[in-house]
Amino acid sequence: MTQVKERKTNVGMVNGFDPSNISALDPATRDMVARRQALLGPAYRLMYAHPVEIKRAKGTLLWDSAGNEYLDAYNNVVSVGHCHPRVVEAVYEQMQTLCTHTRYLQDGILDFADEIVPTFGDPIRHIMFTCTGSEANDLALRIAMHHTGRKGIVITSEAYTGNSFLTAGLSPSLGKKSPLGEWVRRIPGPDSYRMSHAEIAATLIRQLKYEIEELERRGEGLAAFIADSLFSSDGIYADPTDILGPIAEVVRAAGGVVIADEVQAGFGRSGDTFWGFQRHGLQPDIVTMGKPMGNGFPVAAVAVAPHVIERFGNEMRYFNTFGGNTVAIAAARATFDVLKSEGLQENAARIGQMIREGIREIAKSDERIGDIRGAGLYIGVEFVKDRSTKEPDSATALAVVDGLRQRRVLISATGYHANTLKIRPPLVFSAADADRLLTTLAETLKAF
């Protein structure tokens, strides 16, 4: 039986700053990092070997306190670009009028629900609002457990579902020091670089059936299977797209619920469809979303089929003081409108293809690049020590991330071995931005 691998070492946060290297920083940065450590404590993390200070932003660009400009090729939170004027205006106007919770009648939340619910397709009919993707996944799992009367959850090997107590227990990507729930089982990610199409489907289905049997044997049973359809933390596997359908059949046959985690893959990012699960022809029972929904304003949601929420709704109640408040809904409506009116899904498809094709050209003369994959503006570039053995090369991948940062282009890395570049820019990324990214990547690779 194929087993999910365990990390050999505790590598910490991928592409994270090592606090033991604080003495190597320039005095001003060192003082700010030391102050941060003193005030915020040891649990907070900074990105990059040399942390970046950001003072302001606009569109796809960021500036530090010295006025140096950075290209943001990483931030999916501000999906329609930093400080988009229509979102800023909507939040400002609503904040001047009313900011209150969902226990009063309001048109805004209903109008937005009318707009977004049809985009999910059958069987989704309802939507419930939270503040973050972690809260959305937490609520979705509570609903699934209540609906099924079971606790067991199946995830992919390096999944990230959030940082609440429940979702952290479903997030192996947090590292081996972060314990998984006893009711959690893992199946491998769909490694399209090392497995054939047929092998991926057979492996995942076989392992899924095994894990469901184990859950039933231990009296937990299966409540849900949850997956990000771009398998972001597993290493970004956008293809093949005919795996989640058969997985859903196995899950439902075992009495479980299928949850599509769209925090990373949704809102047009994949280019060819608005929601990532739609690329797979999947009809989930629950859809969760977060980060990009309010373009930086904290708003997230759970969309759910009536039959799944019925028991929870009759026997429980849901309330969130800030989830779905009037200002959050104003931000979400403005963001959703910008996504549609500015054609950002189509832009993601066009610019994403341009970036992947450009990296393929670079790879022709650089054997360290083993695989280029992704969909729309979510792109993975895997580095290997040898293309024939496909041995992962995390050192080179992280050196590239740092080299790009030194040249003021920001990305990160992902995957089990942290050897895959994660390129995930705002959806307003332009052809000029893509050209800058590609040119800087080529320069960085030539430098070592």
Side-chain angles (χ1 to χ4, degrees):
M1 185 63 60
T2 302
Q3 298 296 323
V4 174
K5 300 173 289 185
E6 294 295 338
R7 293 183 186 273
K8 295 180 181 179
T9 60
N10 180 23
V11 297
M13 188 180 97
V14 172
N15 185 37
F17 169 68
D18 183 351
S20 67
N21 292 334
I22 191 171
S23 61
L25 302 176
D26 62 86
T29 304
R30 185 170 62 244
D31 289 348
M32 183 173 286
V33 171
R35 185 181 180 213
R36 175 186 168 103
Q37 291 173 336
L39 292 170
L40 304 185
Y44 279 81
R45 297 290 188 270
L46 285 162
M47 294 180 65
Y48 305 112
H50 189 292
V52 177
E53 178 195 7
I54 298 300
K55 298 290 286 188
R56 62 187 179 91
K58 187 71 173 177
T60 60
L61 301 177
L62 306 161
W63 289 269
D64 64 18
S65 57
N68 297 309
E69 179 189 279
Y70 292 79
L71 177 65
D72 188 352
Y74 177 69
N75 201 329
N76 75 320
V77 177
V78 285
S79 59
V80 301
H82 292 274
C83 304
H84 193 290
R86 287 168 63 185
V87 180
V88 172
E89 181 181 5
V91 169
Y92 175 70
E93 288 185 354
Q94 184 60 51
M95 197 68 183
Q96 291 187 107
T97 306
L98 174 69
C99 181
T100 192
H101 55 71
T102 57
R103 282 180 168 169
Y104 300 116
L105 290 171
Q106 297 139 16
D107 286 331
I109 192 171
L110 302 179
D111 292 341
F112 180 55
D114 264 339
E115 294 171 359
I116 196 169
V117 167
T119 67
F120 301 111
D122 291 331
I124 304 297
R125 289 289 182 272
H126 306 306
I127 189 164
M128 306 163 72
F129 293 95
T130 66
C131 299
T132 68
S134 295
E135 284 186 351
N137 280 334
D138 191 292
L139 177 59
L141 293 164
R142 284 177 56 207
I143 292 169
M145 290 177 179
H146 199 83
H147 169 68
T148 62
R150 305 184 185 101
K151 290 178 62 178
I153 307 293
V154 177
I155 56 175
T156 55
S157 61
E158 290 300 301
Y160 174 72
T161 60
N163 57 26
S164 70
F165 183 79
L166 177 59
T167 58
L170 294 157
S171 299
S173 65
L174 291 175
K176 69 177 184 179
K177 297 284 188 181
S178 183
L180 298 180
E182 294 180 0
W183 29 265
V184 176
R185 295 292 182 273
R186 293 189 286 168
I187 64 174
D191 190 344
S192 56
Y193 182 43
R194 292 172 179 81
M195 293 190 288
S196 68
H197 185 167
E199 188 181 3
I200 290 172
T203 299
L204 269 62
I205 292 294
R206 182 173 65 248
Q207 188 69 21
L208 175 63
K209 290 180 177 178
Y210 172 81
E211 301 300 348
I212 291 172
E213 289 174 0
E214 287 296 295
L215 287 168
E216 291 175 345
R217 183 175 293 118
R218 285 163 172 74
E220 303 284 2
L222 179 66
F225 170 79
I226 180 170
D228 154 19
S229 60
L230 290 177
F231 302 94
S232 309
S233 296
D234 290 286
I236 308 175
Y237 298 104
D239 296 289
T241 57
D242 58 356
I243 299 170
L244 287 179
I247 284 177
E249 291 179 7
V250 174
V251 169
R252 288 178 176 133
V257 167
V258 177
I259 304 174
D261 181 344
E262 291 289 314
V263 173
Q264 303 275 0
F267 294 97
R269 178 158 294 275
S270 67
D272 39 8
T273 59
F274 193 75
W275 300 110
F277 68 81
Q278 291 166 338
R279 300 180 66 247
H280 294 257
L282 181 66
Q283 292 181 311
D285 303 296
I286 302 177
V287 180
T288 60
M289 62 216 84
K291 296 182 193 300
M293 191 171 188
N295 206 52
F297 196 94
V299 57
V302 176
V304 60
H307 73 279
V308 175
I309 191 64
E310 182 177 9
R311 182 181 172 195
F312 183 91
N314 289 334
E315 298 178 1
M316 308 286 286
R317 67 175 183 267
Y318 172 72
F319 175 66
N320 184 321
T321 302
F322 296 107
N325 74 73
T326 47
V327 178
I329 294 298
R333 291 190 73 187
T335 302
F336 188 67
D337 183 61
V338 169
L339 283 165
K340 294 183 296 180
S341 64
E342 295 189 6
L344 296 187
Q345 178 182 326
E346 294 77 13
N347 187 68
R350 181 173 61 89
I351 302 300
Q353 182 178 359
M354 176 182 174
I355 294 171
R356 289 191 298 277
E357 289 176 352
I359 297 173
R360 289 190 185 101
E361 283 299 312
I362 295 171
K364 289 178 180 178
S365 57
D366 196 319
E367 293 281 326
R368 294 171 293 183
I369 298 176
D371 195 28
I372 301 110
R373 51 185 181 260
L377 282 174
Y378 212 139
I379 298 164
V381 183
E382 182 166 350
F383 281 81
V384 293
K385 296 179 179 178
D386 187 311
R387 283 183 179 174
S388 61
T389 64
K390 301 182 179 179
E391 181 183 355
D393 186 358
S394 59
T396 296
L398 293 173
V400 170
V401 171
D402 190 58
L404 286 168
R405 182 208 57 79
Q406 293 175 30
R407 294 165 177 81
R408 302 197 182 102
V409 174
L410 304 181
I411 64 166
S412 192
T414 190
Y416 176 78
H417 296 282
N419 68 315
T420 300
L421 304 186
K422 186 194 316 188
I423 301 171
R424 186 191 57 179
L427 301 185
V428 292
F429 219 61
S430 67
D433 292 331
D435 183 67
R436 177 177 172 182
L437 168 65
L438 293 167
T439 299
T440 309
L441 176 60
E443 290 173 354
T444 301
L445 287 168
K446 289 176 182 177
F448 62 91

